Amino acid sequence: MTDSKPSSPLPSTSLNRSFTLSRAKEQAIEVSLLLCALVSIATTAGIVFVLVAESVFSIPPEQAFFQEVSVWEFFTGTQWTPQFADKHFGVLPLVCGTFLIAGIAALVGLPIGILSAVYLSEYATPRVRSIVKPILEILAGIPTVVYGFFALYLITPTLIKPLFSALGFDVDGYNALSAGIVVGIMIIPMVSSLSEDALRAVPRSLREAGYALGSTKFDVSAKVVLPAAFSGIVASFLLAIARAVGETMAVTIAAGQSPTMTLNPLRSVQTMTSYIVNVSLGDTPAGTIEYKSLYAVALCLFSITLVMNILSQFVMRRYREVYQ
Amino acid sequence: MSTPTLPAAPSPGSTAHELTHGRRENRLFEGLCAVSTWSSVAVLAILLTSVTYQAWGWLDWQFLTSFDSRKPERAGIFAGLLGSCWMIVITILFSVPIGVGAAVYLEEYATDNLLTRIIRTNLANLAGVPSIVYGILGLTVFVRMFGLFGEQGVFQIEGIPLWGDAVIPLPFGRTVIAGALSLSLLILPVIIVAAQEALRAVPPSLRHASLALGATRWQTIRHQVLPSALPGILTGVILAISRAFGETAPLVMIGAMTFVRFAPGKITSLEVVFDDPSSLVRAPFDTFTVIPIQIFNWVRQAKSDFQHVAAAGIVVLLVVLLVLNGLAIYVRHRSQKNLRW
Amino acid sequence: GGGEGGTSNGEGEGAQTASGYMPEGAVAPTPETIEAGEYAPLSRPLFLYVRKEALKKPETVAFLRYYLSEEGQDLVSETGYVRLSSAQLAETTKILEDAIAEAGTPEPGDTITGEVVIDGSSTVSPISSAVSEEFSIKHPDVRVPVGTSGTGGGFKKFLAGETDINDASRPIKESEIEQAQANDIGYIELKIAIDGLTVVVNKDNHWLDGLTVADLRKIWEPNSTVEKWSDVNPEFPDEPIKLFGPDTDSGTFDYFTEVICGEGGASRSDYQQNTDDNFLVTGVSNDENALGYFGFAYYVENQDKVKALAIAP
Amino acid sequence: MLNAFSDLVKTREGQADTASEARDQRTTKIETSGLDFYYGDQQALFDISMTIPERAVTALIGPSGCGKSTFLRTLNRMNDIIEGTRLTGQVLLEGIDIYAPAIDVVALRKKVGMVFQKSTPFPKSIFDNIAYGPRIAGTSDRRKLTEIVEDSLKRAALWDEVKDRMTESAMALSGGQQQRLCIARALATNPDVLLMDEPASALDPASTARVEDLIFELKENYTIVIVTHNMQQAARVSDTTAFFFQGRLIEVGDTRQLFTNPKQKQTEDYITGRFG
Amino acid sequence: MLNAFSDLVKTREGQADTASEARDQRTTKIETSGLDFYYGDQQALFDISMTIPERAVTALIGPSGCGKSTFLRTLNRMNDIIEGTRLTGQVLLEGIDIYAPAIDVVALRKKVGMVFQKSTPFPKSIFDNIAYGPRIAGTSDRRKLTEIVEDSLKRAALWDEVKDRMTESAMALSGGQQQRLCIARALATNPDVLLMDEPASALDPASTARVEDLIFELKENYTIVIVTHNMQQAARVSDTTAFFFQGRLIEVGDTRQLFTNPKQKQTEDYITGRFG
Ligand SMILES: Nc1ncnc2c1ncn2[C@@H]1O[C@H](COP(=O)(O)OP(=O)(O)OP(=O)(O)O)[C@@H](O)[C@H]1O
Ligand SMILES: Nc1ncnc2c1ncn2[C@@H]1O[C@H](COP(=O)(O)OP(=O)(O)OP(=O)(O)O)[C@@H](O)[C@H]1O
Ligand SMILES: [Mg+2]
Ligand SMILES: [Mg+2]
Ligand SMILES: O=P([O-])([O-])[O-]
């Protein structure tokens, strides 16, 4: 504790930054942490680069997929036969298959998911919730090959086949319906947990106001809470559908490999993801047009899911503002 | 406005009647919600019992210790088990430090500027990218390395000091390391988000107290923030790892071999490691298979008995996953006990 | 569904109770008919292509000798293909031994280690996998990974020197020979078994036992208009026909299209295709109106699930 | 301080006087007897017995946490929706025990409306907010609904301010307007009793005045029970005042008398600001 | 009310008197001049110029939100870690501008220790809590650490209570013990100055008394700046008191004089409880 006269600017003091080594260390740590954070940016950049490079640019440029196949043909063609003597690169059958399955999954997963969310947030006692939520988490954590197995060996032969055959329909062994059903089951936990968050974010006071007006629990849930949480629910739907669109293994196992342009759920279809898997399993030689078609399809898939994700983020941000 | 009734007689008049009339749609809706919820539980139960039923009699010690075979009764999951373990260990080595590092940067260092906002938005988007796209990324970047080194295996580095004669192929080719790197990228967003949440739960007062004692920012993070956030981070990591454990599509893209009768690095037992420690270095650069890919392979087999083999594999996979989830719950529980604010 | 062609007897123990449609001169695929060359035109030899450089490794030598041994040929039968006649076997063995002598490989001892990398035809891979499996039980320190990239895909790697042995369901092509010369890859060709392509229908299909090559072409040619069985032959039921076939990457596809439609790769495209023949077996066995084709081996393994058709030239 | 209160009460003395006379003829709307209420193990109300007269304003006052809100919520069974609560004793509405098993809580709440401290408009249009109650009660005729909405808004003295913006979101209204909207919404279900839990505490003085005027008008047709922290407010709007302390009803009586001449020491301490 | 304060001040009058004499000889430890501080666009401190004497207790008082904490935190640059803050003017510690670019903030904070309103023990053992500062400063010798820990705990008057439970979690201590632990922890880094932001406001009266005694003892060796809401406390423990109001320093002076004879009307209004 030294006596000091105010004014002298640089007395020998312990306060000056003397030990630059430790400062350098601090700096180095911060930079390396920043680099860690930048890995995620690099990942996105890498994905976009890889997909775009192989399908749009490539070296030399005339070998790019979209040089050999016109964008118009790709997006409007209704035949997908990259590996035949007579090649067609119309991605619509794959998109159609993808959305057929995502559609079925949505029909199964969204209502069950949202009703579960309502049940958990409005009806269930804490005890029931504490039992059911972990179970839903387990459902979310089951690998998708298992769902594929489930669809192929359980749902198709014991549910779809007998049921629709009895009704006089013709059911393919691999079909969009059983794949769609298991993908639907897969997205239930996602919908229910995200929607439940949205429902719980609805202030308690709104519920009380509803009850005070003589609402039943049904009125409050369906006419007050659900509409108030609407955008949050929509966001969860979008995310779940994006997930269904990107689902791979279950669909590859259960839906078959036929790039047919059909909306018949009892038919075998091929999705974008299962085409990608199929090409990679077949080990198509790199550099061929068939091989590059994989990147074009992946780019298409990536764009679709990206748009849905961004949309859902946008919607979610909107609903956060509602109660502010 | 109903006519005032005198308090005395609880008459069956208008008020009483009004107040005692029931409602059906309420019950119906609750029933619908409950059925929906419990149907998920039922599906899980059906799934588990049917798989266990199919696996019954097939899941034995021999199954756990045998390699794959063309004969269902001889087929086993040993190669997949070891492959999955390698895959997970290396994935952890890459994804956890980077993921936690990124989370620490975002929570403890980042100021609100364009870059960090881009990073945050990007993270949310990455979490929604289909896993197969990560497979394509991994295939191009890690397996082929953009073709920079030509076809697979053409270029190798040998005789690395300390490692001895272990061979590192460049590009990596269809090896454990290529798969693990792809999976690391896949689970990175999950880890980052979980770690961010754990860091956010550490009270700022702890940081302030440490800084006020003359700790540097990093010292504060290293000694106070990270230890306090550790349970939360661990929980997130375990859940992310269990996701990686069941992940199939990216590894199919990477080209994890489907019929493999060996473990990476020829490590089939502990003795091998003791005899030749360099096998530990060789393993990451070896071809491999993992449990879910073996299952996928068996599901596709026409011989109907392979269905049971697949089911047995599924049971093994689910047991591992349940153990991991249980671990996460335990860690979460422990943390609630140990750290009270 | 129902058919005119005499489906009435329902049960029919053993698929051979000839009650369905059967063209003149049709031959059913059996080991005997294939070996005797009667099951023409859908039978073919299967090959291993071995890199001469790889033959310098004792483990490769030991593996190939095992492949051509009595035990190895038993595995050919076990996996459902037709083993070589003893004359053919002797011929192949001679080619191998000559090459070994030329390479001057030392005689493999009792404990061999190392790796033999195989890739190629998915038709041949069951044999190679079986041999690999049995071999590695005898020699636990030798790894013999068997990939299934298809004959063409396998040759690509083989000719780049990445693999030691290529499984092939067809002889090497001109273009591939040129590639070999360009890359300075020496190889030998070993015929190791015979395969019959099998055309199969569902087990419950009681009205069809055989088809002609012409029928098959009508069904499979590019832009074929066949949508229902009755489009093939008015006698057949008025049911949609469900087609299953191997992936276009496979030698089986090349071979079938070549033989049936006259040009490799020429085929209709609106059928269910898969690299993995097992998918096809499951597909056909799940669908009463299905028709598919794949290697004889898969048929043998799945006789209880699908029914092979006799084929008339 | 006592003087300030008497001043306030005087401003409406004439009215209070006539009201005071009227009360004796007035019938009892609600009667509680021996009411105990528990949140889990914690008892929040102890043996509350009081009567609430019809077509009058009853104010509940007392320090924070004394159980005013809890008591109010027992009157339309809003406490039912809180888990783990328990009630013993009786609440009679027009002589009927509202906790009897046969009672339909939903119908009860229609009859006994409620308005909360913080206004709680639904994130819907103004029209839909008001029409909510009638709709869930089964009214779907658009003409009828329009009529009810207009009528309710008029009674809540909000009509003129919002009549041209019925389809706008109710969230866009000012705090005072939102609070009156909530009152209108409660009126639209045509209740007999209106419970108000600190309905003006979040409002600026001008809005508060409007809400108070409204309460004063409404009591011609409704039985009103109001919780307030603001003793001036209690003095201004209520006919009867009940003072709660630590879960017990300390004193209840004519507002004027209670403020000018409290019987209990605790009441006097509270209204003179000695605690609370 | 003024009387109550004089009473309090009297209890330590003797001490205060001697202190008051001592002050004139005492050197200035910290000096601020023309200090403005901004949170983003909002200015929180306006032109604060004051001196803080060495080895004495300076109390900062003022109504909530007046900027006491903000000012305190400018003295060891804890405000640096809040984003978007800005400071103009000077803070001189022993004549050195602590906001000069060459200053090492970490070293500064070691010299200027801080204790917060809510005790903030690390979730570690008692020993590790105290040893944390020396450890991060590079001391790793166990004997030396033990010495420092014991010494610091003794100075913080906590040693006797915890000497047998050094390995127990610090979270298991009582509130008052935790607060003294935090003071001990600050002392272990061997600071010159100790900043305390309402260090006793979360404590029961007995614990508060212990902490106050401690402050009184510590001022023999340390320069102490304390923020408090409690004027009795300021009167009891401090030598100098500064009154802040709306971000401005209204008055600063000898504690006794400020409480008994404030120069500014605002100061008087505040200490007599007329607002705040
Ligand atoms: N949901 C609840 N769970 C448990 N205890 C509660 C609950 N709500 C209120 N309490 C307790 O019941 C007692 C009475 O609360 P109540 O809300 O009725 O008081 P109040 O008089 O309305 O107070 P205020 O004027 O602050 O609104 C309080 O001790 C409170 O803590
Ligand atoms: N982190 C911050 N960001 C923005 N404004 C702040 C922040 N911290 C404090 N303020 C504002 O600065 C002003 C002074 O706050 P400060 O905390 O210094 O007051 P105080 O005198 O310590 O009050 P109290 O006695 O309540 O602790 C207040 O208006 C406060 O709202
Ligand atoms: Mg209340
Ligand atoms: Mg403060
Ligand atoms: O035998 P292939 O795999 O080439 O069909």
Side-chain angles (χ1 to χ4, degrees), chain D residues 18-68:
Chain D
T18 47
S20 153
E21 279 157 37
R23 187 160 354 104
D24 303 327
Q25 294 104 320
R26 239 186 263 129
T27 51
T28 299
K29 185 72 179 179
I30 300 175
E31 182 174 357
T32 71
S33 50
L35 203 63
D36 289 333
F37 190 85
Y38 304 81
Y39 290 109
D41 296 335
Q42 193 205 337
Q43 187 164 359
L45 293 180
F46 298 80
D47 190 31
I48 310 288
S49 299
M50 74 180 276
T51 59
I52 291 166
E54 194 169 26
R55 302 197 195 192
V57 178
T58 304
L60 312 178
I61 62 170
S64 186
C66 66
K68 307 180 293 293

Side-chain angles (χ1 to χ4, degrees), chain C residues 202-223:
Chain C
N202 189 274
K203 204 70 187 148
D204 295 331
N205 183 334
H206 300 299
W207 47 266
L208 187 67
D209 287 324
L211 284 175
T212 64
V213 169
D215 289 335
L216 286 174
R217 166 176 297 174
K218 200 167 174 187
I219 295 171
W220 286 100
E221 68 193 349
N223 305 317

Side-chain angles (χ1 to χ4, degrees), chain B residues 240-287:
Chain B
I241 289 302
S242 58
R243 159 134 193 235
F245 208 88
E247 202 54 73
T248 320
L251 296 178
V252 168
M253 290 304 301
I254 295 297
M257 294 195 64
T258 46
F259 186 80
V260 170
R261 290 188 45 84
F262 51 83
K266 283 196 199 170
I267 303 172
T268 49
S269 67
L270 273 182
E271 291 148 47
V272 177
V273 179
F274 287 127
D275 290 348
D276 176 16
S278 77
S279 59
L280 277 181
V281 183
R282 224 177 300 119
F285 300 99
D286 205 350
T287 44

Side-chain angles (χ1 to χ4, degrees), chain A residues 1-19 22-23 26, chain E residues 27 29 31 54-55 92-96 98 101-105 107-108 111 191-192 221:
Chain A
M1 275 159 248
T2 49
D3 282 11
S4 56
K5 301 150 230 72
S7 71
S8 63
L10 277 173
S12 62
T13 167
S14 61
L15 294 188
N16 282 327
R17 293 178 188 173
S18 44
F19 200 19
S22 79
R23 285 193 61 81
E26 285 283 315
Chain E
T27 50
K29 185 73 178 177
E31 181 174 358
E54 193 170 27
R55 302 197 196 193
L92 303 178
L93 173 66
E94 296 173 5
I96 296 154
I98 63 169
I103 291 297
D104 179 1
V105 184
L108 168 71
K111 222 173 148 66
D192 286 0
N221 295 308

Side-chain angles (χ1 to χ4, degrees), chain A residues 79 81 83-86 161 170-174 252-253 256-260 267-268 278 281-286, chain C residues 148-149 156-157 223 240 242 244 247-249 253 265-269 271-275 279 282-283 286-287 289:
Chain A
Q79 272 198 68
T81 58
Q83 292 172 315
F84 287 87
D86 180 24
K161 273 253 162 159
D170 185 42
V171 184
D172 283 352
Y174 300 104
T252 303
I253 292 172
Q257 312 284 337
S258 306
T260 29
R267 287 275 90 89
S268 164
N278 203 30
L281 281 176
D283 205 76
T284 310
Chain C
T148 52
S149 303
K156 267 202 146 241
K157 294 184 179 178
N223 305 317
K242 294 286 180 51
F244 293 84
D247 183 278
T248 47
D249 209 29
F253 173 78
S267 165
R268 69 190 293 168
S269 56
Y271 65 93
Q272 300 197 32
Q273 38 172 305
N274 205 297
T275 332
F279 256 118
T282 317
N286 275 338
D287 202 313
N289 293 307

